[in-house]
């Protein structure tokens, strides 16, 4: 799944504005997601993080701004075209086809790929998540929460995207499962994929990320090195971001 991307490549969100129910929930947001790196997006519930991810993926239609990759604006394109261009999203909630097997969920995610690309992608995601190999014939609804998260990540990664946006990686998962997933996210980035990670545990996200943003009230309130937030937690400005951070070790 090596993307062989230019190390200077960046997915650029510029002035992105998203409305839901005629109310702006994301306001003039600009974020850079570099290739081969992990960027953290932090913020309290209702800050607009999930809406931002859905807008980048084409599920919601932005009312303003752009999403540029290699000079091409993907904003307001259909989801399948955005995915084909190389941007994959993992929405919050582990959206699987619960009555289909793990194998069939993987197959559905590869429907637009050539037979060769589908096989290559399948082999790679099962290498990343060997736990799924033992569960290929099981229905998705029978998987544990951790296995379901692995499956939705596998679905997003099978097409070898250039950028991956993950909404709430650890939501509802035990610490041991989260710590199992962290090296995989690092491996994905090391393989050339630019990752935007939305994460409820600030310590986990900041331990993985090079750069971080804080979104509050639909606006970017902080943009800078993740190390600044690690070293100066008062910059988080929100008790929500610190709540639970001590329950997990920082990513090693």
């Amino acid at each position: 799944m090596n993307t062989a991307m230019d190390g200077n490549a960046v997915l650029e969100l510029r002035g992105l504005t998203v409305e839901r129910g005629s109310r702006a929930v994301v306001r003039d947001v600009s974020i850079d997601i570099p290739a081969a790196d992990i960027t953290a997006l932090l913020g309290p519930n209702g800050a607009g993080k999930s809406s931002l991810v859905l807008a980048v993926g084409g599920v919601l239609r932005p009312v303003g701004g752009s999403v540029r990759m290699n000079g091409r604006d993907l904003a307001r394109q259909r989801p399948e075209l955005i995915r084909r261009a190389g941007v994959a999203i993992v929405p919050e909630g582990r959206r699987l086809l619960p009555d289909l097997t793990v194998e069939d969920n993987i197959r559905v995610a590869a429907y637009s790929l050539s037979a060769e690309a589908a096989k290559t992608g399948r082999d790679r995601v099962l290498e990343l998540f060997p736990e799924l190999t033992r569960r290929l014939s099981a229905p998705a609804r029978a998987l544990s929460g951790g296995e379901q998260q692995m499956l939705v990540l596998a679905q997003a990664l099978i097409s070898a995207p250039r950028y991956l946006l993950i909404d709430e990686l650890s939501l509802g998962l035990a610490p041991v499962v989260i710590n199992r997933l962290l090296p995989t996210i690092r491996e994905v980035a090391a393989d050339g994929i630019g990752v935007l990670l939305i994460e409820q545990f600030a310590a986990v996200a900041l331990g993985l990320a090079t750069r971080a943003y804080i979104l509050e009230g639909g606006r970017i309130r902080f943009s800078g090195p993740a190390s600044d937030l690690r070293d100066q937690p008062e910059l988080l400005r929100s008790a929500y971001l610190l709540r639970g951070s001590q329950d997990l070790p920082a990513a090693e």
Side-chain angles (χ1 to χ4, degrees):
M1 192 183 290
N2 195 322
T3 57
M5 291 182 62
D6 180 348
N8 295 320
V10 178
L11 182 67
E12 300 175 328
L13 281 55
R14 292 290 180 267
L16 209 62
T17 297
V18 183
E19 292 183 352
R20 302 187 81 163
S22 74
R23 181 175 67 89
V25 293
V26 175
R27 300 175 175 87
D28 194 29
V29 166
S30 295
I31 291 175
D32 285 344
I33 307 170
D37 208 349
I38 300 171
T39 302
L41 179 61
L42 306 173
N45 287 336
K49 305 184 302 297
S50 294
S51 295
L52 180 72
V53 169
L54 294 175
V56 173
V59 180
L60 296 177
R61 188 178 180 85
V63 297
S66 62
V67 179
R68 293 195 171 275
M69 186 179 75
N70 298 331
R72 177 185 175 188
D73 188 2
L74 301 178
R76 291 167 286 279
Q77 297 289 322
R78 296 195 307 274
E80 63 270 20
L81 296 179
I82 292 172
R83 185 181 176 97
R84 195 176 304 157
V87 179
I89 67 171
V90 178
E92 181 183 359
R94 300 176 201 137
R95 303 177 187 186
L96 298 167
L97 297 170
D99 294 325
L100 294 186
T101 65
V102 169
E103 182 75 76
D104 285 341
N105 270 273
I106 292 174
R107 186 177 293 119
V108 167
Y111 76 95
S112 64
L113 304 179
S114 67
E116 181 180 359
K119 181 182 185 305
T120 299
R122 179 185 182 278
D123 290 346
R124 177 56 173 154
V125 297
L126 292 180
E127 178 185 343
L128 287 170
F129 305 109
E131 296 90 339
L132 296 179
T133 303
R134 302 187 293 270
R135 304 285 274 159
L136 287 173
S137 62
R141 57 179 161 74
L143 302 182
S144 68
E147 290 168 337
Q148 289 183 352
Q149 188 67 292
M150 292 176 197
L151 182 53
V152 294
L153 288 167
Q155 288 179 317
L157 289 167
I158 195 168
S159 60
R162 296 183 174 189
Y163 298 95
L164 177 66
L165 285 68
I166 307 172
D167 192 358
E168 297 293 4
L169 174 72
S170 70
L171 186 65
L173 300 182
V176 65
V177 177
I178 300 168
N179 285 330
R180 154 67 184 91
L181 293 175
L182 299 184
T184 303
I185 302 303
R186 280 203 191 92
E187 184 174 348
V188 165
D191 208 27
I193 297 173
V195 177
L196 180 69
L197 179 63
I198 295 173
E199 173 52 51
Q200 62 178 326
F201 293 108
V204 169
L206 296 175
L208 288 172
T210 301
R211 190 167 183 84
Y213 296 83
I214 294 176
L215 187 68
E216 288 185 311
R219 298 184 185 276
I220 296 297
R221 306 299 185 182
F222 172 89
S223 170
S227 58
D228 285 358
L229 294 180
R230 290 196 299 268
D231 298 341
Q232 305 175 64
E234 65 275 9
L235 292 176
L236 292 173
R237 303 180 186 174
S238 171
Y240 168 84
L241 294 173
L242 292 174
R243 187 171 67 236
S245 295
Q246 302 306 314
D247 297 339
L248 289 170
E252 297 177 356

